[in-house]
Amino acid sequence: MIIAKTKYELNEALGQISLSPGKLALVPTMGNLHQGHLSLVKLAKLNSSKTITTIFVNPLQFGKNDDFDNYPRTIEQDIKKLNDENCDILFLPKSRNEMFPDETEIQLIKSGSLGKELCGKLRPDHFDGVLTVVHRMFNIIKPDIAVFGAKDYQQQILIRNMSKSYFPNLNILTAPIVRSNNGLALSSRNNYLSNEELDLASNLFKCLKKSVDLYQLGESIEVIIKTAKEFLISINLVPDYYEIRDELLSPIFNSDQVGKKVILGSLKIGNTRIIDNIEFNS
Ligand code: PAF
């Protein structure tokens, strides 16, 4: 695997790759790679001839009270994992400057009203920061395909919307959520939790599954949400949000609406935010 730490090295690596015809797939990450990330790399490889992964802890998407400084950085292990997956290039910008050389010229991408809902309500400007860095990655790497995880459902919808406007030929793929044995969605933030807390956190997925069952039984949205919140609160998990939306994240009001839907939930265990979702058809 070629490791590029500067834009110059990246361009050299991309130049070498462009000699071999085929599609280039990009997997943007913030590192601390786990099986969830590696499933994105696997999907990228299945759909392309060359794969580039980026590791950049993007300061623009962290708020004042977020964990930018303490975000887990495990570069050596990450490189080993990407090598084992036969990733072709790792872009590992050595400084913020490599991504955003002239701060005054950063093209800020706004996530609009959807970026202010759900997770965006809890993390103001977070999605603007995500879209800005992803837009920049797309511009400098020019991939044919980019892969994101379904765990960050709202993020991948916002990236799809941004990409439609700015990169209409780019094919965005979404990889399914990878879960541990107890059902908990894999996330770098799970590292902050004790074994007991990991077990507790797995109740969010149990709750999502139960909500789908209730929906399929024809229960009203109001009752489904109330039942879920009561269950979570009864085990000391206080949801920040718990909502049923259509697949593009428009609100839905009646449980007789047919089509693809998603239930999304977020809660905090100590200072650690856990998010999860479940997609279903009705
Ligand atoms: O999902 C993430 O890890 C980040 O939000 C992303 C897409 C790499 C942008 O920094």
Side-chain angles (χ1 to χ4, degrees), residues 129-258:
V130 170
L131 293 187
T132 299
V133 78
V134 170
H135 176 271
R136 180 104 185 105
M137 294 281 186
F138 287 173
N139 255 329
I140 60 184
I141 296 172
K142 301 193 174 36
D144 303 293
I145 294 162
V147 187
F148 296 88
K151 195 194 121 246
D152 297 304
Y153 192 93
Q154 187 178 7
Q155 166 173 284
Q156 59 93 25
I157 293 291
L158 287 166
I159 290 172
R160 278 175 185 277
N161 294 346
M162 178 276 282
S163 175
K164 245 182 237 154
S165 315
Y166 292 93
F167 307 93
N169 297 324
L170 177 61
N171 184 9
I172 306 278
L173 301 179
T174 303
I177 300 176
V178 178
R179 300 182 178 281
S180 50
N181 288 341
N182 65 6
L184 179 64
L186 297 192
S187 161
S188 299
R189 293 204 162 90
N190 294 351
N191 288 342
Y192 300 135
L193 301 179
S194 66
N195 285 341
E196 222 167 73
E197 289 171 328
L198 289 168
D199 267 347
L200 184 63
S202 69
N203 284 294
L204 178 54
F205 183 52
K206 292 194 183 93
C207 188
L208 290 167
K209 284 197 296 191
K210 177 82 190 145
S211 296
V212 173
D213 291 346
L214 289 178
Y215 193 103
Q216 313 284 21
L217 288 171
E219 196 52 272
S220 74
I221 297 209
E222 209 187 339
V223 168
I224 298 170
I225 302 289
K226 187 166 172 278
T227 310
K229 286 186 171 169
E230 279 173 3
F231 164 69
L232 291 169
I233 290 167
S234 76
I235 52 171
N236 287 327
L237 293 174
V238 182
D240 287 318
Y241 64 77
Y242 194 94
E243 295 197 23
I244 307 183
R245 299 224 175 179
D246 77 8
E247 63 174 331
L248 296 178
L249 291 178
S250 300
I252 56 170
F253 303 102
N254 303 312
S255 44
D256 51 8
Q257 197 173 311
V258 287

Side-chain angles (χ1 to χ4, degrees), residues 28-31 37 54 56 58 61 71 126 129-130 133-134 148 152 155 159:
T29 80
M30 299 208 298
H37 297 108
T54 62
F56 178 64
N58 169 32
Q61 70 190 72
Y71 196 83
H126 166 72
V130 170
V133 78
V134 170
F148 296 88
D152 297 304
Q155 166 173 284
I159 290 172

Side-chain angles (χ1 to χ4, degrees), residues 106-129:
I106 297 180
Q107 185 176 358
L108 284 173
I109 307 294
K110 291 279 181 195
S111 55
S113 55
L114 180 55
K116 298 194 173 27
E117 298 172 23
L118 302 165
C119 283
K121 230 185 204 168
L122 311 167
R123 306 179 72 188
D125 303 329
H126 166 72
F127 287 117
D128 294 355

